[in-house]
Amino acid sequence: MFDNLSEKLDKALHVLKGHGQITEINVAETTKEVRRALLDADVNFKIAKEFTNKVREKALGQNVLTTLQPGQLMVKIVKDELTELMGGDAEGINLSGDPSVILMSGLQGSGKTTFSGKLANFLKKKKTKNPLLVACDVYRPAAIDQLHVVGEQIGVEVYSDRENNDPVALAKAGVAHAKANGHNVVIIDTAGRLAVDQQMMDEIASIRDAVQPQETLFVVDSMTGQDAVNTAKAFNDVLNFDGVVLTKLDGDTRGGAAISIKSVVDKPIKFIGTGEKMDAIDVFHPSRMADRILG
Ligand code: GDP
């Protein structure tokens, strides 16, 4: 994960190794390299600039207060700032409803259906949860089939109704089915499009208004870099979602989306997808991700 970025940051932070003290000159040199590494990883220009400004300020300000070597101090500052940028403390999902409704949003191909299955599987393993998956993509029969395949794999019931082509009515019927059958979590998989369009946004907003989910999650493919951030912004403007799911972090992603998304939409990344299999899901912890990035 993020091999290229890790390598470049390591190189940048090496500048200070062997230096006896932090000076304006070696800090400037280091932060310039850190900025370059972030830009190469597809981090938005403004974010990269703000980030390195903060790192510089901290490095110059803390110098006299620490017993750490300059190299170690810089690693610590960059790690702390990366953690902050990606969201500070880890946040869970709200499962206080009866049933708790979790609505998935995102573009087609982002990994919504796969993630719906992963989350159902993840919650099912906590013995107190009995999830129901609801198929609300009325445009692509293959999407309904796919959710059924996923449901069978993990042993979770899937609610669908191929006769019903009203996604709002379907979502409501899914929640009613959950209530009637003792499911305490409902995960609603919705239709995506290849690009942001008004009809999709109106539809998902109508579903949200109808079922009042405890959690609306935005699912995005981390490999799409700055596009991921722009799409997140477009969805958040309409849905004011609760959290982000970053998928395909096992792939050849440069890491820009993971680093930028929180500061653009001010919503936490809650989960990551790290593979196609049903157990390839992790709760997102900003500090652990910062550790991974810094190697
Ligand atoms: P949807 O259209 O948003 O429902 O997307 P899908 O769930 O159908 O996923 C699109 C493709 O991405 C499928 O081939 C999935 O197997 C794949 N996929 C989803 N999540 C991940 C992930 O975390 N890692 C990898 N490598 N592939 C994933």
Side-chain angles (χ1 to χ4, degrees), residues 16 19 21-32 51-66 68-71 73-78 81:
L16 278 171
H19 279 266
Q21 59 179 359
I22 278 186
T23 65
E24 286 208 21
I25 293 171
N26 58 28
V27 166
E29 205 182 325
T30 307
T31 49
K32 195 171 132 208
F51 181 86
T52 42
N53 284 345
K54 269 197 205 159
V55 168
R56 181 183 310 116
E57 261 171 42
K58 267 200 172 174
L60 294 174
Q62 283 188 12
N63 197 19
V64 285
L65 301 174
T66 177
L68 291 176
Q69 294 293 316
L73 175 65
M74 205 62 174
V75 170
K76 183 180 178 315
I77 292 172
V78 170
E81 285 304 313

mmCIF file of all heavy atoms in Angstrom, residues 16 19 21-32 51-66 68-71 73-78 81:
data_model
loop_
_atom_site.group_PDB
_atom_site.id
_atom_site.type_symbol
_atom_site.label_atom_id
_atom_site.label_comp_id
_atom_site.label_asym_id
_atom_site.label_seq_id
_atom_site.Cartn_x
_atom_site.Cartn_y
_atom_site.Cartn_z
ATOM 1 N N LEU A 16 17.195 15.064 7.187
ATOM 2 C CA LEU A 16 17.561 15.558 8.514
ATOM 3 C C LEU A 16 18.378 14.572 9.336
ATOM 4 O O LEU A 16 18.908 14.934 10.380
ATOM 5 C CB LEU A 16 16.299 15.931 9.285
ATOM 6 C CG LEU A 16 15.749 17.317 8.965
ATOM 7 C CD1 LEU A 16 14.398 17.498 9.608
ATOM 8 C CD2 LEU A 16 16.697 18.400 9.454
ATOM 9 N N HIS A 19 21.868 15.300 10.938
ATOM 10 C CA HIS A 19 22.018 16.705 11.317
ATOM 11 C C HIS A 19 21.887 16.831 12.825
ATOM 12 O O HIS A 19 21.015 16.218 13.432
ATOM 13 C CB HIS A 19 20.922 17.568 10.668
ATOM 14 C CG HIS A 19 21.215 17.924 9.250
ATOM 15 N ND1 HIS A 19 21.826 19.096 8.902
ATOM 16 C CD2 HIS A 19 20.983 17.257 8.110
ATOM 17 C CE1 HIS A 19 21.964 19.134 7.581
ATOM 18 N NE2 HIS A 19 21.457 18.013 7.064
ATOM 19 N N GLN A 21 21.074 19.511 14.519
ATOM 20 C CA GLN A 21 19.935 20.339 14.931
ATOM 21 C C GLN A 21 19.082 20.759 13.742
ATOM 22 O O GLN A 21 19.495 20.698 12.595
ATOM 23 C CB GLN A 21 20.429 21.572 15.672
ATOM 24 C CG GLN A 21 21.369 22.430 14.837
ATOM 25 C CD GLN A 21 21.815 23.658 15.603
ATOM 26 O OE1 GLN A 21 21.416 23.865 16.740
ATOM 27 N NE2 GLN A 21 22.639 24.479 14.984
ATOM 28 N N ILE A 22 17.879 21.193 14.122
ATOM 29 C CA ILE A 22 16.949 21.667 13.100
ATOM 30 C C ILE A 22 17.255 23.127 12.789
ATOM 31 O O ILE A 22 17.408 23.943 13.700
ATOM 32 C CB ILE A 22 15.506 21.492 13.617
ATOM 33 C CG1 ILE A 22 15.090 20.043 13.365
ATOM 34 C CG2 ILE A 22 14.548 22.464 12.955
ATOM 35 C CD1 ILE A 22 13.669 19.735 13.688
ATOM 36 N N THR A 23 17.403 23.440 11.526
ATOM 37 C CA THR A 23 17.610 24.840 11.138
ATOM 38 C C THR A 23 16.560 25.193 10.100
ATOM 39 O O THR A 23 15.940 24.307 9.507
ATOM 40 C CB THR A 23 18.993 25.033 10.481
ATOM 41 O OG1 THR A 23 18.987 24.293 9.247
ATOM 42 C CG2 THR A 23 20.126 24.558 11.366
ATOM 43 N N GLU A 24 16.386 26.481 9.886
ATOM 44 C CA GLU A 24 15.404 26.897 8.872
ATOM 45 C C GLU A 24 15.748 26.291 7.527
ATOM 46 O O GLU A 24 14.874 25.917 6.759
ATOM 47 C CB GLU A 24 15.369 28.418 8.779
ATOM 48 C CG GLU A 24 14.674 29.019 9.965
ATOM 49 C CD GLU A 24 14.011 30.350 9.653
ATOM 50 O OE1 GLU A 24 13.754 30.625 8.479
ATOM 51 O OE2 GLU A 24 13.769 31.080 10.633
ATOM 52 N N ILE A 25 17.034 26.155 7.269
ATOM 53 C CA ILE A 25 17.451 25.677 5.951
ATOM 54 C C ILE A 25 17.137 24.196 5.771
ATOM 55 O O ILE A 25 16.512 23.797 4.784
ATOM 56 C CB ILE A 25 18.957 25.950 5.713
ATOM 57 C CG1 ILE A 25 19.162 27.465 5.635
ATOM 58 C CG2 ILE A 25 19.446 25.288 4.426
ATOM 59 C CD1 ILE A 25 20.596 27.905 5.617
ATOM 60 N N ASN A 26 17.528 23.363 6.766
ATOM 61 C CA ASN A 26 17.245 21.936 6.539
ATOM 62 C C ASN A 26 15.753 21.607 6.670
ATOM 63 O O ASN A 26 15.256 20.679 6.063
ATOM 64 C CB ASN A 26 18.170 21.005 7.332
ATOM 65 C CG ASN A 26 18.126 21.216 8.830
ATOM 66 O OD1 ASN A 26 17.123 21.647 9.353
ATOM 67 N ND2 ASN A 26 19.217 20.894 9.492
ATOM 68 N N VAL A 27 15.017 22.389 7.442
ATOM 69 C CA VAL A 27 13.558 22.182 7.496
ATOM 70 C C VAL A 27 12.929 22.555 6.152
ATOM 71 O O VAL A 27 12.065 21.848 5.633
ATOM 72 C CB VAL A 27 12.909 22.994 8.647
ATOM 73 C CG1 VAL A 27 11.400 23.035 8.472
ATOM 74 C CG2 VAL A 27 13.254 22.370 9.973
ATOM 75 N N ALA A 28 13.378 23.651 5.585
ATOM 76 C CA ALA A 28 12.827 24.077 4.289
ATOM 77 C C ALA A 28 13.089 23.001 3.234
ATOM 78 O O ALA A 28 12.205 22.662 2.438
ATOM 79 C CB ALA A 28 13.459 25.403 3.869
ATOM 80 N N GLU A 29 14.284 22.439 3.288
ATOM 81 C CA GLU A 29 14.645 21.406 2.313
ATOM 82 C C GLU A 29 13.757 20.155 2.495
ATOM 83 O O GLU A 29 13.234 19.597 1.537
ATOM 84 C CB GLU A 29 16.116 21.041 2.542
ATOM 85 C CG GLU A 29 16.807 20.468 1.333
ATOM 86 C CD GLU A 29 18.255 20.104 1.702
ATOM 87 O OE1 GLU A 29 18.863 20.819 2.526
ATOM 88 O OE2 GLU A 29 18.727 19.091 1.175
ATOM 89 N N THR A 30 13.592 19.782 3.751
ATOM 90 C CA THR A 30 12.782 18.588 4.039
ATOM 91 C C THR A 30 11.321 18.796 3.622
ATOM 92 O O THR A 30 10.716 17.941 2.969
ATOM 93 C CB THR A 30 12.814 18.265 5.554
ATOM 94 O OG1 THR A 30 14.166 18.196 5.952
ATOM 95 C CG2 THR A 30 12.132 16.954 5.841
ATOM 96 N N THR A 31 10.765 19.928 4.017
ATOM 97 C CA THR A 31 9.337 20.128 3.726
ATOM 98 C C THR A 31 9.091 20.246 2.225
ATOM 99 O O THR A 31 8.043 19.843 1.740
ATOM 100 C CB THR A 31 8.774 21.365 4.465
ATOM 101 O OG1 THR A 31 9.635 22.465 4.250
ATOM 102 C CG2 THR A 31 8.622 21.104 5.934
ATOM 103 N N LYS A 32 10.068 20.769 1.517
ATOM 104 C CA LYS A 32 9.919 20.841 0.057
ATOM 105 C C LYS A 32 9.809 19.420 -0.524
ATOM 106 O O LYS A 32 8.967 19.143 -1.386
ATOM 107 C CB LYS A 32 11.127 21.574 -0.536
ATOM 108 C CG LYS A 32 10.923 22.021 -1.961
ATOM 109 C CD LYS A 32 12.049 22.929 -2.399
ATOM 110 C CE LYS A 32 12.556 22.477 -3.753
ATOM 111 N NZ LYS A 32 13.954 22.803 -3.996
ATOM 112 N N PHE A 51 -0.335 21.479 4.515
ATOM 113 C CA PHE A 51 0.292 20.430 5.326
ATOM 114 C C PHE A 51 1.758 20.769 5.618
ATOM 115 O O PHE A 51 2.208 20.752 6.756
ATOM 116 C CB PHE A 51 0.188 19.099 4.574
ATOM 117 C CG PHE A 51 0.767 17.940 5.318
ATOM 118 C CD1 PHE A 51 0.003 17.248 6.240
ATOM 119 C CD2 PHE A 51 2.068 17.526 5.098
ATOM 120 C CE1 PHE A 51 0.528 16.170 6.940
ATOM 121 C CE2 PHE A 51 2.605 16.454 5.793
ATOM 122 C CZ PHE A 51 1.825 15.766 6.713
ATOM 123 N N THR A 52 2.486 21.107 4.567
ATOM 124 C CA THR A 52 3.919 21.345 4.773
ATOM 125 C C THR A 52 4.152 22.647 5.550
ATOM 126 O O THR A 52 5.114 22.739 6.316
ATOM 127 C CB THR A 52 4.694 21.342 3.442
ATOM 128 O OG1 THR A 52 3.949 22.043 2.460
ATOM 129 C CG2 THR A 52 4.940 19.944 2.956
ATOM 130 N N ASN A 53 3.255 23.613 5.395
ATOM 131 C CA ASN A 53 3.398 24.829 6.210
ATOM 132 C C ASN A 53 3.279 24.499 7.695
ATOM 133 O O ASN A 53 4.045 24.980 8.524
ATOM 134 C CB ASN A 53 2.332 25.868 5.835
ATOM 135 C CG ASN A 53 2.685 26.563 4.524
ATOM 136 O OD1 ASN A 53 3.824 26.470 4.056
ATOM 137 N ND2 ASN A 53 1.717 27.238 3.926
ATOM 138 N N LYS A 54 2.305 23.641 8.012
ATOM 139 C CA LYS A 54 2.108 23.258 9.417
ATOM 140 C C LYS A 54 3.316 22.497 9.948
ATOM 141 O O LYS A 54 3.770 22.717 11.062
ATOM 142 C CB LYS A 54 0.874 22.349 9.531
ATOM 143 C CG LYS A 54 -0.391 23.106 9.795
ATOM 144 C CD LYS A 54 -1.441 22.129 10.307
ATOM 145 C CE LYS A 54 -2.824 22.638 10.028
ATOM 146 N NZ LYS A 54 -3.821 21.587 10.038
ATOM 147 N N VAL A 55 3.803 21.580 9.127
ATOM 148 C CA VAL A 55 4.968 20.787 9.542
ATOM 149 C C VAL A 55 6.157 21.720 9.803
ATOM 150 O O VAL A 55 6.867 21.582 10.803
ATOM 151 C CB VAL A 55 5.313 19.718 8.471
ATOM 152 C CG1 VAL A 55 6.668 19.086 8.744
ATOM 153 C CG2 VAL A 55 4.229 18.649 8.416
ATOM 154 N N ARG A 56 6.339 22.670 8.922
ATOM 155 C CA ARG A 56 7.478 23.596 9.074
ATOM 156 C C ARG A 56 7.357 24.373 10.383
ATOM 157 O O ARG A 56 8.290 24.446 11.182
ATOM 158 C CB ARG A 56 7.549 24.560 7.886
ATOM 159 C CG ARG A 56 8.734 25.509 7.991
ATOM 160 C CD ARG A 56 8.811 26.536 6.889
ATOM 161 N NE ARG A 56 8.695 25.948 5.583
ATOM 162 C CZ ARG A 56 7.692 26.183 4.737
ATOM 163 N NH1 ARG A 56 6.725 27.012 5.053
ATOM 164 N NH2 ARG A 56 7.656 25.612 3.554
ATOM 165 N N GLU A 57 6.172 24.942 10.607
ATOM 166 C CA GLU A 57 5.946 25.715 11.835
ATOM 167 C C GLU A 57 6.233 24.887 13.079
ATOM 168 O O GLU A 57 6.919 25.331 13.991
ATOM 169 C CB GLU A 57 4.473 26.137 11.918
ATOM 170 C CG GLU A 57 4.217 27.552 11.472
ATOM 171 C CD GLU A 57 2.727 27.814 11.385
ATOM 172 O OE1 GLU A 57 1.988 27.366 12.288
ATOM 173 O OE2 GLU A 57 2.298 28.430 10.388
ATOM 174 N N LYS A 58 5.691 23.678 13.079
ATOM 175 C CA LYS A 58 5.872 22.816 14.252
ATOM 176 C C LYS A 58 7.340 22.484 14.459
ATOM 177 O O LYS A 58 7.842 22.509 15.575
ATOM 178 C CB LYS A 58 5.096 21.512 14.051
ATOM 179 C CG LYS A 58 3.713 21.555 14.631
ATOM 180 C CD LYS A 58 3.233 20.136 14.818
ATOM 181 C CE LYS A 58 1.940 20.055 15.580
ATOM 182 N NZ LYS A 58 1.433 18.683 15.621
ATOM 183 N N ALA A 59 8.014 22.162 13.362
ATOM 184 C CA ALA A 59 9.416 21.751 13.465
ATOM 185 C C ALA A 59 10.256 22.891 14.038
ATOM 186 O O ALA A 59 11.059 22.684 14.945
ATOM 187 C CB ALA A 59 9.939 21.334 12.093
ATOM 188 N N LEU A 60 10.030 24.071 13.538
ATOM 189 C CA LEU A 60 10.843 25.197 14.006
ATOM 190 C C LEU A 60 10.464 25.589 15.436
ATOM 191 O O LEU A 60 11.307 25.970 16.225
ATOM 192 C CB LEU A 60 10.686 26.390 13.055
ATOM 193 C CG LEU A 60 11.256 26.149 11.647
ATOM 194 C CD1 LEU A 60 10.927 27.316 10.728
ATOM 195 C CD2 LEU A 60 12.763 25.916 11.689
ATOM 196 N N GLY A 61 9.189 25.432 15.767
ATOM 197 C CA GLY A 61 8.704 25.817 17.092
ATOM 198 C C GLY A 61 9.116 24.851 18.188
ATOM 199 O O GLY A 61 9.353 25.257 19.316
ATOM 200 N N GLN A 62 9.183 23.563 17.869
ATOM 201 C CA GLN A 62 9.391 22.560 18.920
ATOM 202 C C GLN A 62 10.856 22.244 19.199
ATOM 203 O O GLN A 62 11.151 21.506 20.118
ATOM 204 C CB GLN A 62 8.718 21.246 18.513
ATOM 205 C CG GLN A 62 7.232 21.279 18.695
ATOM 206 C CD GLN A 62 6.633 19.910 18.463
ATOM 207 O OE1 GLN A 62 7.345 18.914 18.391
ATOM 208 N NE2 GLN A 62 5.331 19.869 18.316
ATOM 209 N N ASN A 63 11.710 22.779 18.393
ATOM 210 C CA ASN A 63 13.109 22.355 18.423
ATOM 211 C C ASN A 63 13.724 22.309 19.822
ATOM 212 O O ASN A 63 14.361 21.344 20.198
ATOM 213 C CB ASN A 63 13.922 23.285 17.516
ATOM 214 C CG ASN A 63 15.254 22.679 17.164
ATOM 215 O OD1 ASN A 63 15.419 21.471 17.294
ATOM 216 N ND2 ASN A 63 16.177 23.500 16.746
ATOM 217 N N VAL A 64 13.489 23.366 20.590
ATOM 218 C CA VAL A 64 14.170 23.438 21.887
ATOM 219 C C VAL A 64 13.505 22.579 22.962
ATOM 220 O O VAL A 64 14.083 22.349 24.011
ATOM 221 C CB VAL A 64 14.242 24.905 22.389
ATOM 222 C CG1 VAL A 64 15.278 25.679 21.617
ATOM 223 C CG2 VAL A 64 12.875 25.563 22.303
ATOM 224 N N LEU A 65 12.284 22.119 22.691
ATOM 225 C CA LEU A 65 11.524 21.447 23.739
ATOM 226 C C LEU A 65 11.681 19.933 23.724
ATOM 227 O O LEU A 65 11.026 19.234 24.461
ATOM 228 C CB LEU A 65 10.026 21.769 23.586
ATOM 229 C CG LEU A 65 9.643 23.239 23.658
ATOM 230 C CD1 LEU A 65 8.164 23.410 23.356
ATOM 231 C CD2 LEU A 65 9.953 23.797 25.046
ATOM 232 N N THR A 66 12.500 19.406 22.874
ATOM 233 C CA THR A 66 12.515 17.962 22.711
ATOM 234 C C THR A 66 13.915 17.390 22.806
ATOM 235 O O THR A 66 14.899 18.080 22.537
ATOM 236 C CB THR A 66 11.881 17.580 21.349
ATOM 237 O OG1 THR A 66 11.973 16.173 21.215
ATOM 238 C CG2 THR A 66 12.584 18.238 20.195
ATOM 239 N N LEU A 68 14.420 14.550 21.141
ATOM 240 C CA LEU A 68 14.519 13.710 19.936
ATOM 241 C C LEU A 68 15.570 14.274 18.991
ATOM 242 O O LEU A 68 15.790 15.481 18.928
ATOM 243 C CB LEU A 68 13.185 13.672 19.195
ATOM 244 C CG LEU A 68 12.008 12.928 19.838
ATOM 245 C CD1 LEU A 68 10.770 13.098 18.972
ATOM 246 C CD2 LEU A 68 12.333 11.450 19.994
ATOM 247 N N GLN A 69 16.175 13.388 18.233
ATOM 248 C CA GLN A 69 17.067 13.825 17.151
ATOM 249 C C GLN A 69 16.218 14.533 16.093
ATOM 250 O O GLN A 69 15.046 14.211 15.937
ATOM 251 C CB GLN A 69 17.713 12.598 16.491
ATOM 252 C CG GLN A 69 18.651 11.817 17.381
ATOM 253 C CD GLN A 69 19.895 12.628 17.725
ATOM 254 O OE1 GLN A 69 20.463 13.258 16.857
ATOM 255 N NE2 GLN A 69 20.280 12.623 18.980
ATOM 256 N N PRO A 70 16.804 15.477 15.344
ATOM 257 C CA PRO A 70 16.023 16.181 14.322
ATOM 258 C C PRO A 70 15.288 15.245 13.364
ATOM 259 O O PRO A 70 14.122 15.476 13.037
ATOM 260 C CB PRO A 70 17.080 17.006 13.586
ATOM 261 C CG PRO A 70 18.123 17.247 14.603
ATOM 262 C CD PRO A 70 18.164 16.016 15.467
ATOM 263 N N GLY A 71 15.962 14.172 12.958
ATOM 264 C CA GLY A 71 15.314 13.232 12.015
ATOM 265 C C GLY A 71 14.085 12.604 12.632
ATOM 266 O O GLY A 71 13.005 12.583 12.033
ATOM 267 N N LEU A 73 12.380 13.721 15.190
ATOM 268 C CA LEU A 73 11.387 14.755 15.474
ATOM 269 C C LEU A 73 10.532 15.019 14.237
ATOM 270 O O LEU A 73 9.305 15.102 14.306
ATOM 271 C CB LEU A 73 12.086 16.047 15.913
ATOM 272 C CG LEU A 73 11.167 17.253 16.123
ATOM 273 C CD1 LEU A 73 10.215 17.012 17.280
ATOM 274 C CD2 LEU A 73 11.978 18.519 16.396
ATOM 275 N N MET A 74 11.204 15.103 13.097
ATOM 276 C CA MET A 74 10.485 15.385 11.858
ATOM 277 C C MET A 74 9.530 14.243 11.510
ATOM 278 O O MET A 74 8.398 14.480 11.092
ATOM 279 C CB MET A 74 11.518 15.590 10.739
ATOM 280 C CG MET A 74 11.023 16.423 9.635
ATOM 281 S SD MET A 74 10.617 18.077 10.249
ATOM 282 C CE MET A 74 10.246 18.854 8.710
ATOM 283 N N VAL A 75 9.980 13.005 11.714
ATOM 284 C CA VAL A 75 9.101 11.852 11.433
ATOM 285 C C VAL A 75 7.861 11.941 12.324
ATOM 286 O O VAL A 75 6.734 11.759 11.880
ATOM 287 C CB VAL A 75 9.834 10.503 11.672
ATOM 288 C CG1 VAL A 75 8.858 9.333 11.616
ATOM 289 C CG2 VAL A 75 10.937 10.307 10.643
ATOM 290 N N LYS A 76 8.088 12.279 13.591
ATOM 291 C CA LYS A 76 6.964 12.365 14.519
ATOM 292 C C LYS A 76 5.986 13.471 14.100
ATOM 293 O O LYS A 76 4.761 13.277 14.099
ATOM 294 C CB LYS A 76 7.473 12.623 15.940
ATOM 295 C CG LYS A 76 6.345 12.634 16.947
ATOM 296 C CD LYS A 76 6.818 12.880 18.350
ATOM 297 C CE LYS A 76 5.664 12.937 19.337
ATOM 298 N NZ LYS A 76 4.526 13.730 18.915
ATOM 299 N N ILE A 77 6.530 14.608 13.726
ATOM 300 C CA ILE A 77 5.656 15.728 13.342
ATOM 301 C C ILE A 77 4.844 15.361 12.090
ATOM 302 O O ILE A 77 3.641 15.592 12.028
ATOM 303 C CB ILE A 77 6.492 17.010 13.094
ATOM 304 C CG1 ILE A 77 7.078 17.502 14.420
ATOM 305 C CG2 ILE A 77 5.636 18.103 12.466
ATOM 306 C CD1 ILE A 77 8.065 18.634 14.272
ATOM 307 N N VAL A 78 5.524 14.763 11.112
ATOM 308 C CA VAL A 78 4.815 14.394 9.875
ATOM 309 C C VAL A 78 3.749 13.347 10.185
ATOM 310 O O VAL A 78 2.618 13.417 9.691
ATOM 311 C CB VAL A 78 5.802 13.897 8.794
ATOM 312 C CG1 VAL A 78 5.070 13.295 7.609
ATOM 313 C CG2 VAL A 78 6.681 15.052 8.311
ATOM 314 N N GLU A 81 0.781 15.017 11.928
ATOM 315 C CA GLU A 81 0.015 15.859 10.997
ATOM 316 C C GLU A 81 -0.765 15.015 9.997
ATOM 317 O O GLU A 81 -1.894 15.345 9.632
ATOM 318 C CB GLU A 81 0.941 16.844 10.264
ATOM 319 C CG GLU A 81 1.400 18.003 11.116
ATOM 320 C CD GLU A 81 0.250 18.803 11.722
ATOM 321 O OE1 GLU A 81 -0.690 19.135 10.997
ATOM 322 O OE2 GLU A 81 0.297 19.070 12.941
#
